[in-house]
Amino acid sequence: MARKVIVAGNWKMNKTASEGVALVRALKPLVADVTAAEVVVCPPFTTIGAVVEACRNSNVKVGAQNIHWAESGAFTGEISGTMLKEAGVEYVIIGHSERRQYFGETDATVNARLMAALKAGLKPIVCIGETLEERESGRTEAVLETQLKDGLKGLDAATAATLVLAYEPVWAIGTGKTATPEMAQETHAFIRRTFAMLFGADAAAKARIQYGGSMKADNAEALVGQSDIDGGLIGGAALKADSFADLVKNAVKGAGGCGCCCCGR
Ligand code: PEP
């Protein structure tokens, strides 16, 4: 089952509108020939409008970093699916570990945001992953299973098949400590087996699972070369056009594509 590689850059709380536009203007020609991967950038809310404009008529897609579960109302500081959709957003990251760690995100709120994203016609990127303490105490699989069961509760198999999951071991995010490709593959395979248990083999074969956690141009090929790794969710290396473009091309190579500057395969 061929799953299209998807590489998404999570800019976090970085890049003003003008900085975001400059990044995208530099990125577009570097990835213009890439057809074997979806390329997504996820700017902060205030940068989204300008970046959507800058990405028009290119193969760079735009995602948001969060979404509220209500359509509108008294939720100071939040943003709805309708607002994101009208702004031209296609993808939305849900349940990033920084949201879980610093802003009280739970599997229940992940589930509510996921339902809102789907209702608004946005494509969710649902993040799961264990902390160092959970890994070291042998609880990785139990933690991931709970995140999948509770975070994805209520999805039907056909919708589940369209999902993008991001497996991000929390201990690897922004630390320079990447899971080895073999270690990441073992966990991705577990995630896919669990997904199959929840939604059936067909949905599990179709859903894409990105790896996230200190993925860079020089380890992207080996990581995406693993059979259950379908791309990456990228933090630090997405903040510069050249490092992000190199990473995208190496990810394509890992998936068996060409990854050269010119042919796009
Ligand atoms: C992330 O924040 O999702 C992430 C993977 O960050 P980094 O690539 O910097 O580890």
Side-chain angles (χ1 to χ4, degrees), residues 151-245:
L152 308 183
K153 197 182 272 174
L155 276 191
D156 59 66
T159 309
T162 68
L163 269 196
V164 178
L165 296 175
Y167 166 60
E168 302 204 295
V170 179
W171 47 270
I173 296 179
T175 58
K177 286 186 206 157
T178 327
T180 63
E182 295 72 26
M183 189 195 279
Q185 166 56 27
E186 193 180 298
T187 312
H188 277 237
F190 169 78
I191 292 168
R192 207 176 292 285
R193 282 198 304 278
T194 307
F195 203 89
M197 208 178 67
L198 295 172
F199 302 109
D202 184 60
K206 288 180 178 152
R208 291 179 290 177
I209 311 175
Q210 299 173 310
Y211 170 81
S214 300
M215 194 191 268
K216 310 243 177 310
D218 60 8
N219 57 21
E221 183 176 352
L223 283 161
V224 180
Q226 302 296 317
S227 56
D228 286 298
I229 302 184
D230 307 313
L233 181 56
I234 318 301
L239 294 177
K240 286 200 176 131
D242 51 357
S243 60
F244 190 53

Side-chain angles (χ1 to χ4, degrees), residues 2-264:
R3 293 177 294 266
K4 188 162 189 171
V5 167
I6 174 165
V7 181
N10 173 13
W11 294 359
K12 310 192 183 186
M13 197 171 71
N14 295 293
K15 305 292 177 192
T16 63
S18 58
E19 290 167 346
V21 168
L23 194 161
V24 159
R25 284 198 182 135
L27 177 66
K28 282 194 302 182
L30 299 177
V31 297
D33 292 323
V34 174
T35 54
E38 276 189 82
V39 182
V40 185
V41 293
C42 303
F45 293 139
T46 53
T47 302
I48 283 176
V51 165
V52 165
E53 277 310 311
C55 289
R56 256 186 228 298
N57 303 317
S58 80
N59 59 345
V60 180
K61 299 174 176 178
V62 182
Q65 297 175 22
N66 198 11
I67 177 177
H68 195 263
W69 49 83
E71 272 183 44
S72 62
F75 299 102
T76 303
E78 293 290 332
I79 195 126
S80 75
T82 317
M83 293 169 186
L84 294 174
K85 191 73 186 168
E86 192 180 292
V89 163
E90 186 170 338
Y91 280 93
V92 59
I93 299 171
I94 296 173
H96 189 279
S97 68
E98 285 151 17
R99 299 291 319 166
R100 293 178 189 258
Q101 197 177 341
Y102 305 129
F103 301 102
E105 194 82 60
T106 63
D107 294 329
T109 57
V110 166
N111 187 251
R113 293 182 204 278
L114 169 62
M115 294 306 168
L118 292 168
K119 191 169 172 211
L122 295 162
K123 298 173 182 167
I125 297 176
V126 180
C127 303
I128 56 172
E130 81 287 359
T131 63
L132 185 59
E133 193 256 318
E134 288 162 345
R135 178 162 280 267
E136 287 181 344
S137 58
R139 287 184 290 139
T140 298
E141 295 192 350
V143 166
L144 295 173
E145 191 174 325
T146 301
Q147 289 175 340
L148 287 168
K149 272 191 185 151
D150 295 352
L152 308 183
K153 197 182 272 174
L155 276 191
D156 59 66
T159 309
T162 68
L163 269 196
V164 178
L165 296 175
Y167 166 60
E168 302 204 295
V170 179
W171 47 270
I173 296 179
T175 58
K177 286 186 206 157
T178 327
T180 63
E182 295 72 26
M183 189 195 279
Q185 166 56 27
E186 193 180 298
T187 312
H188 277 237
F190 169 78
I191 292 168
R192 207 176 292 285
R193 282 198 304 278
T194 307
F195 203 89
M197 208 178 67
L198 295 172
F199 302 109
D202 184 60
K206 288 180 178 152
R208 291 179 290 177
I209 311 175
Q210 299 173 310
Y211 170 81
S214 300
M215 194 191 268
K216 310 243 177 310
D218 60 8
N219 57 21
E221 183 176 352
L223 283 161
V224 180
Q226 302 296 317
S227 56
D228 286 298
I229 302 184
D230 307 313
L233 181 56
I234 318 301
L239 294 177
K240 286 200 176 131
D242 51 357
S243 60
F244 190 53
D246 288 348
L247 190 158
V248 168
K249 287 174 190 167
N250 288 345
V252 167
K253 263 196 236 167
C258 171
C260 77
C261 65
C262 338
C263 76

